[in-house]
Amino acid sequence: MYTAQALRQGLKTQRFGNKIFTFDTIDSTNNCARALAGCWADEGTVIIAEQQTAGKGRLGRVWQANPNENLTFSIILRPTANPEQVNLLPLYVAVAVAQAIERTTSLKVECKWPNDLLVNNRKVAGILLEGSVKDNTLEYVVVGIGVNVNQVAFAHDLEGKATSLRLEGGKEVDRLVLFRELLSSLEKNYKTLSSSGFNTVLPLWLARSSMINRQISVSERGSVISGVVRGLSPEGGLILDSPQGAKTLFAGDVTILGIDVPAA
Ligand code: BTN
């Protein structure tokens, strides 16, 4: 297990990672981060664990990750975002994580809406944001990040869907180096969000996505909608040309059906 000292060594950030809490085993780093964020923890505080007994994925799923092979951590943010900008935060995190992976490996990382990162069409990292709103203002956001780093075998139900940096790159990745790169990238992109506006993230995310003009289906809470992706709305929603007309979606589970449909 990593110590906070080893994780911080060589870290070039100003605020992110100033406080790092490490756990061998925890239920979920997001749960811990939320508890800390609800009382006193500073922005940039990190909670990292080798093993989660109840790692959480999006849409109520479980996040599975072997201990000693991956990165599972959460970071506390206190952004001054208005409610319309909240859906841009996952896109910012996705871009930052993609950049960090690319700087550490020679892999090309793609963004899949809303917060998956793919290498060669398989998932290498997932992001789970959980926030708290008080008096109509965003009190904090916990950004949970799981990266499949050196894991080479996945559960049966993830076969063909999940992969790791090691599997795709053919060599082991130093988790410490990747962790530092992730924090640097998250902080750098966060500063840009704060200084130049939240919409600066849209072109960066779009440049990393191959979803535009593709036929997809999105399932959310039991209902499925199909259509062709035409872009992102200024608030980070997915714009879909569907048989029922143009729709902007803000949540859901996307399956890319793989057919290119040129713009009319
Ligand atoms: C997803 O792709 O569904 C999101 C996965 C997010 C997993 C990370 S691992 C660290 C943090 N703690 C959690 O319980 N979940 C996130």
Side-chain angles (χ1 to χ4, degrees):
M1 192 194 109
Y2 288 134
T3 61
Q5 197 190 7
L7 290 163
R8 244 194 320 263
Q9 216 168 38
L11 194 60
K12 291 192 182 72
T13 52
Q14 286 174 335
R15 301 186 64 199
F16 285 23
N18 278 359
K19 287 203 185 78
I20 301 179
F21 295 93
T22 60
F23 292 87
D24 194 5
T25 305
I26 198 169
D27 59 345
S28 152
T29 57
N30 262 35
N31 288 352
C32 178
R34 284 172 65 181
L36 291 178
C39 25
W40 51 267
D42 293 330
E43 182 163 72
T45 299
V46 171
I47 295 89
I48 182 164
E50 273 301 355
Q51 184 163 23
Q52 299 185 109
T53 54
K56 299 189 287 187
R58 287 179 58 244
L59 309 172
R61 295 205 185 98
V62 171
W63 183 256
Q64 309 171 35
N66 290 351
N68 305 309
E69 297 177 351
N70 299 298
L71 282 173
T72 46
F73 68 97
S74 304
I75 180 159
I76 295 167
L77 301 182
R78 299 190 185 277
T80 44
N82 58 46
E84 302 89 68
Q85 296 170 320
V86 163
N87 288 302
L88 292 167
L89 285 171
L91 307 184
Y92 135 71
V93 179
V95 167
V97 173
Q99 289 173 346
I101 293 175
E102 288 187 353
R103 279 191 205 113
T104 316
T105 67
S106 52
L107 298 168
K108 186 177 177 302
V109 184
E110 255 182 51
C111 294
K112 181 181 166 204
W113 188 89
N115 12 356
D116 287 350
L117 292 163
L118 312 182
V119 173
N120 298 326
N121 295 321
R122 291 179 184 192
K123 182 161 168 173
V124 284
I127 296 159
L128 177 68
L129 272 75
E130 296 184 277
S132 163
V133 175
K134 229 184 208 173
D135 303 329
N136 224 14
T137 356
L138 200 54
E139 194 192 6
Y140 66 78
V141 174
V142 162
V143 176
I145 299 173
V147 186
N148 300 333
V149 186
N150 292 318
Q151 187 164 329
V152 291
F154 289 89
H156 194 59
D157 57 320
L158 295 177
E159 265 171 33
K161 294 182 190 159
T163 189
S164 70
L165 303 180
R166 180 175 176 170
L167 280 175
E168 297 306 315
K171 57 179 179 228
E172 195 164 330
V173 174
D174 186 329
R175 292 187 300 155
L176 278 178
V177 172
L178 178 60
F179 174 77
R180 288 186 205 117
E181 201 61 61
L182 283 163
L183 283 203
S184 298
S185 182
L186 285 163
E187 182 174 279
K188 185 165 166 276
N189 283 277
Y190 191 61
K191 280 184 184 162
T192 310
L193 276 191
S194 314
S195 61
S196 309
F198 275 63
N199 51 8
T200 51
V201 75
L202 291 170
L204 296 175
W205 190 93
L206 284 167
R208 291 183 173 277
S209 168
S210 59
M211 292 176 73
I212 305 301
N213 296 333
R214 303 283 290 277
Q215 180 89 41
I216 66 162
S217 72
V218 186
S219 58
E220 207 225 342
R221 290 185 211 153
S223 78
V224 179
I225 171 164
S226 298
V228 180
V229 179
R230 294 304 187 198
L232 289 178
S233 74
E235 304 84 23
L238 193 71
I239 302 172
L240 206 62
D241 249 354
S242 80
Q244 297 84 39
K247 296 216 178 290
T248 304
L249 309 177
F250 287 96
D253 201 19
V254 172
T255 305
I256 300 174
L257 301 172
I259 310 153
D260 256 353
V261 185

